Amino acid sequence: MSTRTLTRQPVTPDPGTRPHPSRWVWSWVYAGAFSVAALLMVLVGYLGTGVGSGEVDWPALLTEAAWSPANSVYGGLAMIYGTAVVCVLALALAVPVSWAAAVALSEYLPPRVARPLRMCVELLAAVPSIVYGLIGIIVIRPVIAQLADVPGGDSLIAAGIVLAVMITPTIVAVSVDALAAVPDRCREAAFSLGLTRREVVRSAVLPLARSGMRAAVLLGLARALGEAIAVFLVVGRADGRLPTSFGGFLDSLVHPGQTLTTKLAGPEPVLAGTSGPHFAALCGLGFILLALVAAATFWGTRGQRQSTTTKRTPRYRTSTRMRVQRDRLAMSLRLGALLLPSLLLVGMLALLVTRGSNAFDPSFWFTSATGAAGGGVRDQIVGTLLLVVTTGLLALPLGFGAGVLIGVHASARTARLLQTLTVVLGGVPTILLGLAGFVILSTTMGWGRSWLAGAIVLVPVVVPVIALSTAARVRSLPPELKESALSLGLTRAQLIRSVVVPYTWPATVTGLLLGLARAAGETAPLLFTATVFFGAPALPSGIVESPVQALPTHIFTLSQDSGDPQAVAQAWGSAMVLVLITAVLLSAAVALRNRFEGERWTT
């Protein structure tokens, strides 16, 4: 009996069912990556051209304290001193509290309690800096004025306290991530040796999380270095103040000073024109500021990467004296430190609710301003939303393309370079973006104050957040999914279009919302390029010479008239509206992240 082997004839695939070549994918992702490099080159080119437009005496700029444009004397040492003092004060106040609060969140509280507290910390980090500046004017300045007997309370120590409040949520959030990355097996091994919780944290957890927590401090330092508006409102902006003794140093803390960012945020960049020694000296200060922030941002993110790859074996050290008592004391101190950010959030909400009562009146939202400080903020809300939406439309394709290229590029070295450039772009002080936009778009191109110019200078704020969120999501793509797609004959471009893009878009939208939440509260770049305080229509009628009104700059202008109760009340109401807008964007981002990316807590 013979048998027949049935064979299936090969079927020729229908060309119509094959995926499209998708050649446009590479053009898109390379355009996104190119935009990151181009934005950095434009900023560096602006500063370089400014320095080249006049002779800069770099030794005098770095060592001379006097700053007098009328006498052609440009010394930046007093600004560098003021920047160093306020940053050191901020770190001295914020780091101990932030690290202790992060340990309490990660190691002492159960996830069901720690998670909402962590969300509160993230909400604090998203509060616009202009709101912190307003709190500095209303709360911190009077306290300094009363304690130090200084008229007005404008001082370096007031700026340091405001910055400490601002960077605390950043240090807490990044430190919690570093602590959560420590494997649970290290904790379990330490507990199995009979160590108490304090000894486990000290001997097993902190050594492995140290580089990540150090990175949190550097990222907080980068934010403190680049902050302009909040410091501008409380530092006093007094040039040439430089102490000559230790007593003079202590005395300088409670007197007005100047920092690099407040010098650039003042009226001098507009008065200096676009060339000459005055403009060149200001661009020199911009170069110094950019170098300091880029170095802090680079080393901070480098520390984060090292914390996730460290393989050191922790050393267990213990002492038998009063172990239980010391354990209880450490727990009390760490939980007590956690109360400070919580009280800060509660205090800020209480201030916004009690002072910003205007925001609870519907007419405040839907009517135009009348006079300098009356009426509602309808036009400011429309202007803010127009800037945010336009920025999102411009930034989304660029950030998405850059993130996909960083995540799937074959060369690890190139991807690492692109990621570093993206991180540095995200840390650029926004006051430099505003000055570059003012010179290039508003002055050189003749746009004047324009809503489109304001949206363009906000694009570098949003693109890095989208790109880094997208790249992180692409790296989490399961290898078997990628291998299956390639085994079906898909090219790399088709893999991106058919697999990577559908898998990545939730993280991209999350990054977009986070970036827009930050952009909605930016003040410094809009002051020079897009907004006016009063008189602009709700919707612009054109592109060139078409300014808008926006909530951040509205609050900034009103807060400088702190002696007028009506202006202060209007500022608090506007701040309440701005916080609600950013809270809606941030809440949507957190909900989307939890929905598509799962739980982040590993403790």
Side-chain angles (χ1 to χ4, degrees), residues 50-247:
V51 169
S53 67
E55 186 177 351
V56 178
D57 187 351
W58 286 101
L61 191 65
L62 294 172
T63 58
E64 176 65 43
W67 178 275
S68 176
N71 299 314
S72 299
V73 176
Y74 304 104
L77 185 59
M79 287 76 119
I80 297 173
Y81 166 78
T83 302
V85 168
V86 299
C87 289
V88 169
L89 281 173
L91 292 179
L93 295 173
V95 170
V97 174
S98 303
W99 277 357
V103 171
L105 270 175
S106 178
E107 306 298 325
Y108 286 89
L109 296 179
R112 66 178 181 278
V113 178
R115 187 175 177 181
L117 288 176
R118 168 68 187 276
M119 186 175 293
C120 292
V121 172
E122 291 180 342
L123 284 172
L124 270 176
V127 171
S129 59
I130 184 63
V131 178
Y132 285 108
L134 186 60
I135 293 174
I137 289 176
I138 305 301
V139 178
I140 297 176
R141 278 201 325 184
V143 174
I144 300 297
Q146 187 172 9
L147 293 179
D149 194 20
V150 177
D154 288 327
S155 57
L156 292 175
I157 194 170
I161 293 172
V162 170
L163 286 179
V165 174
M166 289 183 61
I167 67 175
T168 293
T170 302
I171 299 177
V172 173
V174 179
S175 297
V176 168
D177 285 338
L179 291 165
V182 176
D184 283 342
R185 64 177 183 276
C186 296
R187 297 180 180 84
E188 295 165 359
F191 278 120
S192 68
L193 294 176
L195 300 183
T196 64
R197 184 174 292 275
R198 179 188 63 84
E199 292 164 344
V200 170
V201 171
R202 176 172 174 266
S203 302
V205 177
L206 291 182
L208 293 177
R210 184 176 299 145
S211 58
M213 297 175 72
R214 192 183 303 126
V217 175
L218 289 170
L219 293 177
L221 174 62
R223 184 177 185 189
L225 284 169
E227 178 53 42
I229 296 302
V231 179
F232 184 91
L233 294 174
V234 298
V235 79
R237 289 171 286 137
D239 288 332
R241 297 286 182 86
L242 201 62
T244 56
S245 63
F246 183 71

